[in-house]
Amino acid sequence: MKHDQSLIAQLTIAVRRGNISRREFLSKATALGVSTSLASGVWGAKAFAQPQRGGTFRWGIHDGNTGDTHDPGTYVSRQQIYLAHQHRSYLTLIEPDNTLGPDLATDWEATINAAQWTFRLNKNATFHSGKPVTSRDVIASLNHHRGDASTSAAKSLLADVDEIVADGDHTIVIKLLRGNADIPWLMTDYHFAICPARDDGSIDWESGDGSGPFRIEGGEFGVQWELSRHDGWHLEGPNFDKLNILVLNDPDARQSALVAGDVDAVSLVDLKYLDMLEQRADIEIDNVPSGAAVTLPMHCDTAPFDDVNVRNALKLAINREEIIEKNAFGTATIGNDFHIAPVQPYWPEDIPQREYDPEKARALLKKAGHENLEVSISTAESLFSGAVDMCALFAEQAQAAGIKVNVVREPNDGYYSNVWLKKPFCAVSWGARPTPDVMFTLAYASNATWNESRWTNLRFNELLVRSKGALDDSLRAEMYREMSMLMRDDGGTIIPFFNNFVYARSQRVQHGEVLAANWECDGARAPSRWWFAS
């Protein structure tokens, strides 16, 4: 009976953490001798506690820089992304079950060739300043990322947009040069936050005014933010009265703050301490498989990475399984050097997995005339849990191929502005994107602002254009498979793994049965979706 009670306790924990369905729980609980009524009561109390309103949610986050800004075109750090999802709104959003849902847009439709999209706006949406959100604001916000003068990192995502026009105060029409079936999903990209329009057609991003669930009361980039509930928000929630975001780049500081009760949740758990945290009755762990990726881009226009044999040798010199076991502690899915994860649509599951093969790597280096290769890779601990250790393990593994990898530990603050896109070999943490087209357009097209490997492949670019307008699902999948093979065999990016989102919260913090997998903490929307238990 003692063993059965232990199993019941484990089942209860599984319910709280969303790791078991209601049917599975009831079946296993009754098999252990628990009455149906008691089991149903446990399920209802633990899994579906009704949201309570009130309190201040203190959120310890990773990856924040003092040089970050409110300009949506510059968004790159988690601080910018998380903050934007609290004080600003988007046309569409990713729901907790990873489907597409409405934000400022109540509904949308396309012409038969997907070359023109119409979005109708929520007439109840208002900015925190009291101004209603209109078509004019949406058009100005999207145009912020368009045109020759735009410096936005998301500029390439809207390259096919010919014109955006208003059809009244609450309807916009996006006209494209060619069809794109992904436009509603594209509008969830974190850069496309809606800001108030100025009279000249630009946007007021400096003030931090937005129409999101919380309004900014004060704060400082790289330090902390204080926000309060926007009672005029056009969607359901939030439950918390106030939100305090604290930037805790150091993983030990985040963990200590959570254990000490100084924060209610943290956005990233140091995986070395995962087992210890799981043993604590007052802390809950959320472990969510995702399309987020760890990448190691090499600049394809810079020696020695300008030789495809060198690039492929480095891809063969990394033991992904060992890295997942020792650095990710099993909380990841193996990568294959193309940027589609198994949890995402169009994943080409039949592509052979690249294996660790130092002898083959040696042969490629000899062919390239780069025997006894020495390279440096930049990294920082704030990128993801174990980032520095992962690169150190990669360096050990590469020795078997005759490659010396020097690990350069960069400062956490300013990594994305001073290292990424600038240094020829580095580690990067990518959030998930909703469709392959968004990821490919953003980071692998030759003209992409965030082409982190500076890779140019004419066939890839041709397929990218063709696939956008392909409404035939099987044809699109076929093209994505060919593009994935090009990335794998010619590209300049090593993808060791797709990391799970592993974050933690106080037991008194509750959430729904499912969690969005596009960003940490329920798609970066924990403050507007979660609540304190009564």
Side-chain angles (χ1 to χ4, degrees):
M1 184 64 182
K2 183 177 181 181
H3 177 65
D4 289 350
Q5 290 295 333
S6 175
L7 290 176
I8 292 170
Q10 291 177 31
L11 284 174
T12 303
I13 292 172
V15 171
R16 288 205 311 266
R17 295 180 179 175
N19 297 330
I20 190 172
S21 70
R22 182 178 186 276
R23 176 177 293 181
E24 290 174 316
F25 173 76
L26 294 179
S27 175
K28 292 180 179 181
T30 52
L32 292 171
V34 179
S35 69
T36 301
S37 59
L38 178 57
S40 297
V42 170
W43 174 266
K46 298 296 184 181
F48 293 110
Q50 290 299 308
Q52 303 295 314
R53 199 163 197 188
T56 298
F57 182 58
R58 301 163 301 167
W59 190 18
I61 69 168
H62 69 292
D63 185 27
N65 308 297
T66 55
D68 291 344
T69 77
H70 286 310
D71 179 359
T74 70
Y75 287 172
V76 62
S77 73
R78 293 302 201 275
Q79 174 183 221
Q80 291 173 301
I81 295 164
Y82 295 164
L83 183 61
H85 282 78
Q86 314 320 314
H87 78 111
R88 285 177 171 158
S89 299
Y90 297 77
L91 279 179
T92 55
L93 56 74
I94 305 296
E95 299 283 7
D97 63 357
N98 295 306
T99 58
L100 184 68
D103 192 344
L104 283 172
T106 57
D107 60 286
W108 48 89
E109 61 186 5
T111 54
I112 195 168
N113 62 353
Q116 181 170 301
W117 286 88
T118 299
F119 290 84
R120 282 169 282 274
L121 308 180
N122 192 318
K123 296 180 180 179
N124 296 319
T126 61
F127 289 104
H128 304 146
S129 58
K131 175 185 175 295
V133 179
T134 68
S135 304
R136 187 167 162 270
D137 303 304
V138 175
I139 293 171
S141 296
L142 295 179
N143 282 339
H144 181 68
H145 308 277
R146 300 178 61 228
D148 294 338
S150 175
T151 58
S152 169
K155 185 176 180 177
S156 60
L157 292 179
L158 299 181
D160 288 338
V161 174
D162 182 41
E163 187 182 14
I164 309 175
V165 298
D167 182 10
D169 287 342
H170 294 95
T171 301
I172 68 157
V173 179
I174 300 176
K175 301 178 181 180
L176 306 171
L177 298 173
R178 58 183 65 86
N180 189 335
D182 282 348
I183 287 295
W185 287 94
L186 186 64
M187 292 299 108
T188 68
D189 186 271
Y190 60 84
H191 295 95
F192 300 144
I194 306 304
C195 302
R198 292 193 175 104
D199 292 339
D200 63 358
S202 64
I203 57 171
D204 167 25
W205 58 261
E206 296 91 344
S207 68
D209 192 12
S211 57
F214 292 92
R215 71 173 72 230
I216 293 177
E217 301 292 352
E220 180 182 352
F221 281 110
V223 184
Q224 69 172 353
W225 294 92
E226 298 85 34
L227 302 93
S228 61
R229 182 172 55 225
H230 174 39
D231 289 320
W233 194 38
H234 49 279
L235 297 179
E236 184 180 351
N239 297 302
F240 301 116
D241 294 330
K242 295 183 181 297
L243 168 63
N244 187 12
I245 301 176
L246 297 96
V247 178
L248 301 172
N249 285 327
D250 182 77
D252 291 333
R254 283 196 306 277
Q255 176 184 292
S256 296
L258 180 65
V259 171
D262 295 330
V263 296
D264 301 300
V266 293
S267 61
L268 183 67
V269 165
D270 188 330
L271 298 176
K272 295 192 296 291
Y273 304 111
L274 182 58
D275 285 344
M276 183 190 74
L277 289 176
E278 286 181 327
Q279 300 305 313
R280 294 185 62 98
D282 58 339
I283 291 175
E284 299 285 352
I285 304 292
D286 293 304
N287 186 352
V288 184
S290 78
V294 169
T295 66
L296 307 178
M298 303 168 274
H299 287 180
C300 296
D301 62 356
T302 304
F305 310 117
D306 54 351
D307 190 317
V308 67
N309 293 301
V310 172
R311 300 197 295 268
N312 284 334
L314 284 161
K315 292 175 184 177
L316 290 164
I318 186 168
N319 187 330
R320 302 155 206 266
E321 290 89 348
E322 185 180 22
I323 283 176
I324 290 173
E325 177 188 354
K326 293 183 177 179
N327 288 106
F329 296 87
T331 63
T333 303
I334 193 167
N336 202 16
D337 302 331
F338 57 83
H339 213 136
I340 305 178
V343 298
Q344 294 176 306
Y346 304 105
W347 179 57
E349 59 182 326
D350 63 326
I351 293 180
Q353 175 65 50
R354 175 168 276 131
E355 304 289 347
Y356 176 55
D357 193 337
E359 290 307 313
K360 188 174 181 180
R362 279 184 181 272
L364 288 176
L365 291 175
K366 184 176 182 180
K367 180 179 178 181
H370 280 288
E371 293 176 278
N372 300 315
L373 178 70
E374 182 173 348
V375 297
S376 295
I377 185 168
S378 293
T379 186
E381 193 57 43
S382 63
L383 294 176
F384 56 89
S385 179
V388 175
D389 289 341
M390 183 201 73
C391 290
L393 181 55
F394 173 35
E396 291 179 17
Q397 297 166 349
Q399 289 177 5
I403 303 172
K404 182 178 181 181
V405 178
N406 301 309
V407 179
V408 181
R409 183 166 185 163
E410 306 280 1
N412 290 328
D413 193 2
Y415 184 87
Y416 282 106
S417 57
N418 301 324
V419 178
W420 182 56
L421 301 178
K422 293 181 173 62
K423 297 202 174 181
F425 195 21
C426 68
V428 182
S429 174
W430 281 91
R433 297 308 191 274
T435 65
D437 177 73
V438 176
M439 192 70 239
F440 293 174
T441 301
L442 195 62
Y444 295 92
S446 60
N447 63 345
T449 305
W450 283 358
N451 183 354
E452 61 181 358
S453 65
R454 302 183 184 177
W455 179 54
T456 296
N457 185 290
L458 297 179
R459 177 59 177 167
F460 180 92
N461 293 330
E462 174 192 343
L463 288 168
L464 181 59
V465 172
R466 287 177 53 198
S467 63
K468 289 178 184 293
L471 300 179
D472 183 312
D473 215 42
S474 59
L475 175 61
R476 206 174 202 199
E478 182 181 322
M479 287 190 280
Y480 284 150
R481 185 190 186 281
E482 183 178 349
M483 294 163 77
S484 297
M485 286 297 296
L486 290 170
M487 294 169 121
R488 178 183 183 272
D489 296 335
D490 182 64
T493 302
I494 303 171
I495 303 182
F497 58 80
F498 294 93
N499 53 289
N500 290 8
F501 290 141
V502 184
Y503 43 91
R505 55 195 160 86
S506 161
Q507 190 180 40
R508 75 187 189 113
V509 177
Q510 303 291 303
H511 59 58
E513 184 181 8
V514 292
L515 295 164
N518 54 315
W519 289 103
E520 298 92 348
C521 295
D522 210 350
R525 294 182 179 272
S528 62
R529 291 175 174 170
W530 297 2
W531 64 92
F532 287 132
S534 58

